[in-house]
Amino acid sequence: MAPAPDRQPPFAAVLDVLTRVDPEGLSSVGAPADEYAFEADDLAGRLRDGRTVTAEVVVDVWERWFGPGSGYVRRTSMSQVAELAAELDALR
């Protein structure tokens, strides 16, 4: 089992973006509000460390948690992933 997410800033802001974008379409089917907490934790930790969030980073994080068959990774263009990455990176 994964450890609980580190909820230090910018965790809440990252989670808000992921929840709004809902990459896997889970919020729309009644998933909990913190459905993307583990992904947000990975991305927020990177931002806290001063590292950049790129499209490749988003894909890596997504495939870590949802597997290589992630619906988001399969159906989304890299330019759309790059837009999400840029929005997340701006939270640094």
Side-chain angles (χ1 to χ4, degrees), residues 40-90:
D41 184 37
D42 279 358
L43 295 162
R46 184 174 189 87
L47 295 170
R48 275 193 297 277
D49 292 344
R51 295 178 289 156
T52 303
V53 173
T54 63
E56 292 77 15
V57 167
V58 171
V59 168
D60 287 345
V61 167
W62 227 255
E63 289 184 338
R64 175 176 176 222
W65 291 104
F66 287 98
S70 156
Y72 174 65
V73 172
R74 282 184 293 122
R75 74 175 178 276
T76 306
S77 71
M78 281 306 284
S79 64
Q80 290 171 306
V81 176
E83 288 175 19
L84 174 58
E87 185 174 355
L88 293 168
D89 195 61

